[in-house]
Amino acid sequence: QTIKKIINKLVAEHQEFVKKATTGEKYYRNTNDIKENGALNRQYDDYLKANNLNPLRNADNRISHNWHKLLVDQKVSYGFSYPPMFDVGNQNLNEKITEVLGDEYGKLIKDLAVDASNCGVAWLHIWEDENGFNYAVVDPKQVIPIYSSDLKKELVAVLRAYELTGDDGISYQRFEYWTEKDCTFFIRESNGEINLEFAFEGVPNILKHKMAMVPFIPLYNNSTHTSDLDLYKDLIDAYDKVVSGFANDLDDVQEVIFVISNYGGESREEFLTDLKKYKTIKVDADGEVNTIRAEIPHEARNAFLEMVKKQIFISGMGVNPDPEKFGNASGVS
């Protein structure tokens, strides 16, 4: 029962990290908050619709911009176009290390850098089997680290939690508790109960390993273990909202609105037909037609967007690739 409580406590405390990491990954895929929230004041808009007010406001454009991916990819390309090389002072060992790392090493390093940028930390899992030394990137949202309570904060264990779907189509949560000696497997059944005795067929509940360490290596994005998105998320959200709101204005506000006094026709359809076909409008003797042109202010918006765009690159410590600002100096970029 104590083990179950500890697992539940660790998983519950990990949810805040999962939430922030998921946000970083969403912005990297260009599915920003604007996609869910829109640029409209939803509460005010619902009130207007409920009371049949302001019928012109119907558009709900949700335009997101991939500034986060651009900045992360810039950083990853700058830092890891050529992956780090190891030199242990022995040429034969250096060649052996290169052989063991294999061809996938370069791509894996970039994957780790993207994970760290999005989530604040990336995790590398290492193990040894009949084929020798192996390593792989693990989704940071799955890894719950457990550190020592002293000042060194050494990694003493890892609880890995992830979803699996059985042959019966039912999903359940699997746990792997890794120490420097072994790994213990648990699952959370569909009824929410943690089963401590579970084991896959042919696999023991406790699996010994030979790594002589907790076989997970954290690679932190920075000293504060935070995502790059924390630096400029508010700026991206502001940019998305202004652009989406401007698109809404263009959709909602007609270029010309006709104001007609004493219309001589019978219906709106007849008015539109006459205007389109004959370029004339029927009015009574004392009638008149005026037009109102809706002016959409854009200079202030453009100035604001340019200011926000500049600040995004400053806060993200990146380079604006706009050719007008940069020319063709791709090497400098």
Side-chain angles (χ1 to χ4, degrees), residues 18-221:
V18 171
K19 181 180 178 182
K20 294 199 70 174
T22 300
T23 300
E25 291 172 344
K26 282 172 53 182
Y27 274 66
Y28 187 75
R29 296 192 300 268
N30 198 27
T31 53
N32 303 354
D33 283 353
I34 193 72
K35 294 293 188 183
E36 295 180 12
N37 303 328
L40 300 175
N41 183 327
R42 305 304 307 173
Q43 185 175 0
Y44 180 60
D45 188 56
D46 290 342
Y47 165 79
L48 293 176
K49 289 182 178 179
N51 293 276
N52 295 318
L53 301 173
N54 198 15
L56 291 176
R57 307 303 295 182
N58 294 314
D60 186 13
N61 292 283
R62 303 186 179 195
I63 305 169
S64 62
H65 299 79
N66 64 336
W67 299 119
H68 178 54
K69 185 177 190 305
L70 188 152
L71 288 167
V72 169
D73 286 352
Q74 271 191 6
K75 182 178 78 170
V76 172
S77 295
Y78 177 74
F80 302 106
S81 288
Y82 298 97
M85 304 302 294
F86 297 92
D87 186 358
V88 297
N90 183 304
Q91 184 60 30
N92 290 333
L93 286 179
N94 288 344
E95 293 176 358
K96 182 64 176 177
I97 290 172
T98 301
E99 179 185 344
V100 169
L101 290 175
D103 295 335
E104 71 272 18
Y105 171 58
K107 180 182 183 303
L108 179 138
I109 285 292
K110 291 183 178 180
D111 291 342
L112 287 170
V114 171
D115 276 354
S117 299
N118 288 334
C119 307
V121 61
W123 286 93
L124 187 70
H125 178 38
I126 58 175
W127 72 94
E128 191 174 359
D129 56 21
E130 62 275 6
N131 297 317
F133 177 78
N134 286 281
Y135 60 98
V137 177
V138 181
D139 184 347
K141 300 189 298 299
Q142 297 181 359
V143 180
I144 306 174
I146 302 167
Y147 297 100
S148 63
S149 56
D150 57 22
L151 293 177
K152 288 190 175 182
K153 300 292 183 184
E154 294 180 347
L155 187 67
V156 295
V158 158
L159 179 67
R160 184 183 173 206
Y162 53 96
E163 297 285 336
L164 284 178
T165 302
D167 296 335
D168 54 4
I170 298 177
S171 296
Y172 59 92
Q173 193 171 31
R174 182 181 180 185
F175 301 103
E176 300 174 2
Y177 184 73
W178 292 86
T179 67
E180 62 182 10
K181 296 180 180 179
D182 54 42
C183 174
T184 306
F185 298 98
F186 314 110
I187 66 164
R188 190 191 300 277
E189 305 281 5
S190 56
N191 61 4
E193 191 67 23
I194 296 177
N195 185 347
L196 303 179
E197 305 300 327
F198 172 82
F200 284 106
E201 184 178 351
V203 180
N205 180 247
I206 298 179
L207 182 68
K208 300 288 185 180
H209 66 77
K210 304 176 182 178
M211 300 310 299
M213 60 175 284
V214 180
F216 286 81
I217 302 173
L219 295 103
Y220 295 108
N221 190 40

